[in-house]
Amino acid sequence: MSNVLTENKKNSVSLSTEPIVKYLDVKKSFGDTHVLKGINLEIRPGEKIAVIGPSGSGKTTIIRMLMTLEEPTSGDIIVNGKNLWKMEKNGQLVKANEKHIREVRGDIGMVFQHFNLFPHMTILENCMAAPIHVKKENKDEVRERSIKMLERVGLGTKLDFYPSQLSGGQKQRVAMARALVMRPKIMLFDEVTSALDPELVGEVLEVIRDIAENDDMAMVLVTHEMEFALDIADKVLFLDQGVIAEQGTANEVLVDSKNERVQSFLKRFRKA
Amino acid sequence: MGDNFRWETFFDALPIVLQGLGVTVGLTFACFGFALLFGFVWIFFRRIPNKLIVSIVTWVMEFIRSTPPLVQLFFVYYALPVVPVIGVTLEPFTCAILAIGIHYSTYIGEIYRSGIESVDKGQWEASIALNFSTMDKWRRIILPQAIPPTIPMLGNYFIIMFKEVPLASIIGVTGILAMANSYGALNFAYLEPLTIVGIIFLLLSYPSSILIKKLEVKMNTRFDKNVLLEKAKKKSIPDMNLKESDRIV
Amino acid sequence: MIIISAIIEITPQLLRGLGITISVLLASAIIAYIVAFVAGLSRVSNNVILNKATGVYVEVFRGTSLIVQLFWLYYAIPMLFGIQLGSNWWTGVIAIGLNYGAYLSEVVRGSILAVDKGQTEAAIALNMSRYQRMRLIILPQAVRMMLPEFGNYTIQIMKATSLVSLIGMRDILYYGDIMRSTNLSQAPLIYVIVLFIYFILALPFIWLTRKGETIAKKGVVS
Ligand SMILES: Nc1ncnc2c1ncn2[C@@H]1O[C@H](COP(=O)(O)OP(=O)(O)OP(=O)(O)O)[C@@H](O)[C@H]1O
Ligand SMILES: [Mg+2]
């Protein structure tokens, strides 16, 4: 199994800990196109996973299903021991209702390619909305925490700015602060730098690195930043045509892999 | 007035109400045609390079648009004949064309304007560069691009005007609403003939609005490569320079 | 001079109807707004029955003519409910409110659907419930987009109030017609003054509509 491969270099992810997320033979099709053809995957607490692969291979779909933005066609996703998309009712597994789904996905956060900040709220309000309304936390406490988080991503002086007044890189840093204030145990990143001007990519990667090194949450990064992935990931998944074609440590997949598809992908990638 | 809805009365009233359908539909076309023409008058005045005229015309349009067409109809019908010097007495049908037509021409003028403004600035410059006369510039370059996108919007106004036309029954134009009212007055049964009027409106306007939605899609994609490709195929134009591989997905 | 004294004489007579015109305007606008939100939200809801039933209401009221609806209700309400509603005021207000409620519900629906899908996704990622998503994220943005159309339709409602004179309500137009019938030679002046009164009533809404357009442009770009 892949357990041997996930042994890592920096963060010590203990092999003995139970996975926080399990994908069990998860398949997904849109109409006739089979996008994911049986994904088996385990994410351990604190583990940093990079997902790479050609365009259209299903990287986004994998994490969108965990965020409940897309429903699997078959298979199960287990989060903290609970089935994300199904619940028990009268001794039978049935499609989960909203209450169940909200309970299970509470530990998951996501950062999007196009930021998706709320344009009608200041950046501080963007951060505060969910902890207050979703987690019903104390407002002053949330404010304090949000300000700290915005300071951490370098936007402490712009608390009352609206998203439209910020650059792309700044928006993406706000989006990360907004997700972090919710204290998720798993953070999903979907190509968070690919909508940015090249000169703004660095500042966003810096924040991700900071999170990766100092927070103990699990992270799944869909990315095209190979070197960055190599640097921070405990495990790299290479996705191709809807299956995990290769997985292992960054070195194993990005440097040593004998898999032809990986190599041709990397070659093409380096050229580009 | 009858106490209850009776199907007997309903079918009794049906042929009588239907007698007014021709007038209602005819009046709608007349009002719409008039509004289409008069819309150009507004555009013409608003393009005069004189700030004062433009702002006066803009306010007059705003005035007509923001006041009730029913009052405007009464003005044309009751007041126009007694206006000193220019006063004329007109048939109710003509009054309705004038009042409803002019009222909606202010909306239609706006639609024309949005169409003209949506034509790319480069097109104006190109027609100057090609030394077109003013007439040719409008006829061959600007209007052919400005009008088609507005056709669905104009169609919507046609339906809106269709529903406004029964106002004319108040000054005695014998459309379906007037027929229903006079049937009601004679037989002391209003509900059935009025229900018929409602159904007629629904039957005519609902399918038209669906048709216009389709038209809108068609207009928005009329220069789309794929659509052109289909057209070329149908007419089998060989030199369209579009191959199947050019299809955009 | 004669004209000025005529204006001074006519205007107060017409203004006796101002109260009715304004009360019908306010009441039917409020009904229309409420109906618009209830129906608009029903049309984006997952409840198929609610969705379809509201769809039928909207198409029926948009597909027929307001004046027909007004007359129809005028005769139907006493019959259907076996009672006189107490006054024609209610008949007028209900007809205008339901008619424009149907049009405005399409504005509400369209604006809700026009909010970027990413907004819903971000709200889901923050674990918001359907209700929280609608209240905190979607509606605040949708309402900004609605403002200009609500302004426009309020002007339409104002124009439509003149129809209640046809069912015997004593609004501005009613007094205008009374004066015209006793003094036909003054008809042009009477109707011009009536039109000006309506125009003055419309001015605040014209202004609000323009204001709404700038807010709408500003409010939704991220
Ligand atoms: N909502 C959808 N409806 C239909 N097809 C979809 C949908 N979402 C994704 N797909 C298809 O599923 C496949 C995988 O999509 P996905 O977005 O997961 O790919 P990806 O690996 O993230 O690609 P990229 O690197 O371009 O972002 C693609 O072929 C895509 O066209
Ligand atoms: Mg993707």
Side-chain angles (χ1 to χ4, degrees):
Chain A
M1 266 295 293
S2 62
N3 284 356
V4 192
L5 300 173
T6 56
E7 205 170 9
N8 78 82
K9 34 195 177 84
K10 283 185 257 84
N11 298 42
S12 49
V13 175
S14 156
L15 289 181
S16 60
T17 47
E18 266 299 294
I20 185 168
V21 172
K22 278 192 268 189
Y23 284 67
L24 304 174
D25 196 27
V26 174
K27 294 178 183 157
K28 174 70 183 172
S29 4
F30 293 104
D32 292 336
T33 38
H34 302 288
V35 175
L36 294 175
K37 300 163 187 164
I39 296 295
N40 287 289
L41 172 67
E42 293 185 349
I43 305 171
R44 286 163 198 289
E47 196 175 21
K48 322 296 182 211
I49 300 178
V51 183
I52 60 169
S55 181
S57 56
K59 307 182 293 293
T60 298
T61 308
I62 285 195
I63 60 173
R64 280 172 63 84
M65 287 189 304
L66 182 53
M67 194 64 262
T68 70
L69 298 174
E70 219 79 73
E71 193 176 346
T73 313
S74 70
D76 292 302
I77 300 177
I78 313 292
V79 180
N80 278 328
K82 291 191 199 111
N83 197 322
L84 179 59
W85 286 99
K86 292 172 194 160
M87 64 182 204
E88 210 153 310
K89 200 175 166 190
N90 308 328
Q92 275 189 320
L93 269 188
V94 296
K95 198 177 146 155
N97 60 16
E98 192 192 17
K99 185 166 168 282
H100 174 93
I101 288 181
R102 287 188 71 206
E103 238 172 68
V104 182
R105 76 171 172 218
D107 285 333
I108 308 168
M110 182 161 175
V111 183
F112 298 85
Q113 187 173 352
H114 296 286
F115 334 124
N116 298 349
L117 293 182
F118 305 134
H120 58 299
M121 299 179 182
T122 65
I123 65 172
L124 182 58
E125 287 164 352
N126 261 279
C127 293
M128 291 173 60
I132 291 173
H133 293 284
V134 175
K135 294 179 124 183
K136 315 278 180 219
E137 289 182 81
N138 177 287
K139 201 169 171 173
D140 295 324
E141 210 178 296
V142 171
R143 177 188 301 275
E144 208 173 300
R145 201 163 86 221
S146 302
I147 293 174
K148 272 205 193 113
M149 204 55 86
L150 284 167
E151 280 168 353
R152 181 177 170 191
V153 299
L155 289 163
T157 58
K158 304 207 185 298
L159 302 177
D160 294 325
F161 279 46
Y162 283 88
S164 57
Q165 296 168 287
L166 303 181
S167 74
Q170 290 171 329
K171 281 184 207 173
Q172 197 57 296
R173 286 185 275 147
V174 174
M176 283 191 240
R178 181 175 71 177
L180 286 172
V181 182
M182 287 293 275
R183 296 182 168 141
K185 294 205 181 104
I186 312 149
M187 276 267 272
L188 312 174
F189 299 79
D190 187 12
E191 300 196 25
V192 294
T193 56
S194 59
L196 299 176
D197 293 335
E199 72 268 23
L200 300 176
V201 169
E203 64 188 58
V204 172
L205 293 184
E206 267 330 292
V207 174
I208 301 178
R209 186 189 303 276
D210 174 44
I211 302 169
E213 281 167 5
N214 298 307
D215 293 32
D216 54 7
M217 70 191 76
M219 292 165 65
V220 182
L221 291 115
V222 173
T223 184
H224 283 149
E225 303 286 336
M226 291 305 154
E227 276 171 31
F228 184 74
L230 186 82
D231 218 20
I232 69 160
D234 304 317
K235 178 160 91 177
V236 173
L237 302 182
F238 177 76
L239 208 65
D240 188 41
Q241 299 182 352
V243 293
I244 299 177
E246 179 93 86
Q247 61 178 318
T249 64
N251 265 317
E252 284 166 345
V253 175
L254 294 177
V255 183
D256 303 335
S257 174
K258 300 280 176 293
N259 185 315
E260 253 173 57
R261 289 196 155 274
V262 179
Q263 287 186 338
S264 78
F265 170 71
L266 289 176
K267 211 184 286 166
R268 230 180 318 143
F269 202 80
R270 293 213 175 89
K271 258 191 235 152
Chain B
M1 179 175 43
D3 301 316
N4 253 316
F5 190 94
R6 286 201 205 93
W7 284 107
E8 209 178 311
T9 318
F10 182 92
F11 287 111
D12 189 36
L14 188 57
I16 293 167
V17 173
L18 280 174
Q19 280 172 17
L21 188 57
V23 172
T24 298
V25 173
L27 183 56
T28 308
F29 275 100
C31 290
F32 186 63
F34 189 77
L36 285 180
L37 287 178
F38 215 84
F40 279 115
V41 175
W42 298 119
I43 286 296
F44 177 79
F45 278 113
R46 283 178 69 157
R47 295 196 72 85
I48 291 175
N50 177 323
K51 279 214 172 92
L52 184 67
I53 293 179
V54 170
S55 98
I56 289 174
V57 173
T58 308
W59 275 104
V60 169
M61 285 175 81
E62 192 76 79
F63 185 91
I64 294 173
R65 199 179 14 211
S66 310
T67 52
L70 180 60
V71 183
Q72 293 164 5
L73 185 66
F74 283 175
F75 181 87
V76 174
Y77 185 66
Y78 293 113
L80 207 52
V82 295
V83 170
V85 190
I86 58 159
V88 279
T89 307
L90 301 167
E91 289 291 306
F93 194 84
T94 319
C95 289
I97 297 175
L98 269 183
I100 298 173
I102 290 181
H103 185 88
Y104 281 96
S105 72
T106 59
Y107 291 92
I108 293 198
E110 279 309 315
I111 293 176
Y112 289 156
R113 192 171 68 110
S114 74
I116 292 168
E117 278 175 4
S118 73
V119 175
D120 187 62
K121 226 179 111 218
Q123 299 292 315
W124 299 81
E125 289 169 1
S127 43
I128 290 172
L130 293 168
N131 203 16
F132 276 108
S133 69
T134 308
M135 187 63 193
D136 276 348
K137 178 179 73 184
W138 280 95
R139 218 179 54 183
R140 301 193 185 281
I141 310 294
I142 305 302
L143 290 183
Q145 294 184 69
I147 298 300
T150 66
I151 287 174
M153 274 189 276
L154 296 175
N156 274 328
Y157 270 97
F158 179 78
I159 299 177
I160 291 173
M161 290 173 78
F162 175 53
K163 286 177 281 185
E164 198 75 39
V165 152
L167 273 188
S169 70
I170 309 300
I171 57 166
V173 175
T174 51
I176 48 178
L177 182 58
M179 295 311 258
N181 276 331
S182 68
Y183 180 92
L186 275 175
N187 301 282
F188 299 102
Y190 284 92
L191 202 58
E192 295 85 351
L194 283 173
T195 307
I196 295 171
V197 175
I199 292 173
I200 294 174
F201 271 103
L202 205 56
L203 285 181
L204 290 178
S205 70
Y206 185 59
S208 326
S209 64
I210 290 175
L211 215 73
I212 283 169
K213 263 184 205 147
K214 285 210 178 121
L215 196 66
E216 198 168 352
V217 175
K218 214 168 166 181
M219 282 300 158
N220 286 338
T221 57
R222 72 193 194 287
F223 292 136
D224 190 294
K225 216 173 178 186
N226 295 339
V227 174
L228 290 179
L229 187 65
E230 288 303 319
K231 264 192 204 160
K233 256 195 201 158
K234 261 185 215 152
K235 292 187 194 162
S236 63
I237 306 173
D239 56 347
M240 277 292 285
N241 274 333
L242 285 165
K243 296 184 289 291
E244 188 61 31
S245 57
D246 281 338
R247 181 175 289 271
I248 302 168
V249 265
Chain C
M1 277 328 283
I2 302 169
I3 286 195
I4 290 177
S5 69
I7 291 173
I8 291 170
E9 198 185 315
I10 292 168
T11 310
Q13 299 285 325
L14 295 174
L15 287 179
R16 285 192 290 165
L18 188 63
I20 290 289
T21 295
I22 289 180
S23 71
V24 171
L25 165 62
L26 291 181
S28 42
I30 288 169
I31 291 181
Y33 296 165
I34 294 172
V35 168
F37 274 93
V38 172
L41 287 169
S42 305
R43 296 213 68 189
V44 295
S45 86
N46 284 345
N47 186 322
V48 181
I49 298 169
L50 193 64
N51 197 319
K52 287 270 168 348
T54 321
V56 171
Y57 151 72
V58 171
E59 293 308 341
V60 166
F61 273 83
R62 292 193 332 149
T64 54
S65 171
L66 173 58
I67 187 174
V68 177
Q69 290 155 22
L70 182 72
F71 287 170
W72 194 89
L73 283 175
Y74 181 74
Y75 295 109
I77 285 176
M79 196 201 80
L80 292 177
F81 300 102
I83 38 145
Q84 211 68 36
L85 261 182
S87 73
N88 294 337
W89 187 86
W90 275 109
T91 308
V93 163
I94 289 173
I96 299 172
L98 288 181
N99 181 275
Y100 284 101
Y103 283 98
L104 280 168
S105 77
E106 287 290 279
V107 174
V108 172
R109 182 175 82 121
S111 305
I112 288 174
L113 295 180
V115 174
D116 182 42
K117 245 184 88 213
Q119 295 291 308
T120 302
E121 298 193 342
I124 290 175
L126 292 168
N127 205 13
M128 289 187 187
S129 66
R130 276 183 72 84
Y131 171 73
Q132 286 168 335
R133 269 154 25 209
M134 191 50 87
R135 184 170 66 91
L136 301 170
I137 307 303
I138 307 299
L139 271 184
Q141 296 180 55
V143 165
R144 283 171 172 76
M145 290 189 244
M146 293 172 204
L147 289 177
E149 283 297 308
F150 267 69
N152 274 329
Y153 273 110
T154 309
I155 297 172
Q156 301 291 342
I157 291 173
M158 194 275 304
K159 294 195 294 188
T161 61
S162 65
L163 291 178
V164 298
S165 68
L166 301 178
I167 54 169
M169 291 304 298
R170 300 181 172 199
D171 71 340
I172 294 168
L173 179 56
Y174 172 87
Y175 284 106
D177 283 338
I178 295 288
M179 289 177 75
R180 179 259 304 157
S181 62
T182 56
N183 190 353
L184 192 59
S185 67
Q186 291 279 39
L189 189 57
I190 293 168
Y191 284 122
V192 166
I193 298 174
V194 170
L195 286 169
F196 265 99
I197 295 174
Y198 278 110
F199 186 60
I200 290 165
L201 285 177
L203 280 176
F205 299 110
I206 294 172
W207 183 79
L208 279 175
T209 305
R210 299 215 173 128
K211 195 106 183 125
E213 270 160 15
T214 44
I215 295 175
K217 274 191 199 122
K218 228 173 26 196
V220 280
V221 279
S222 73

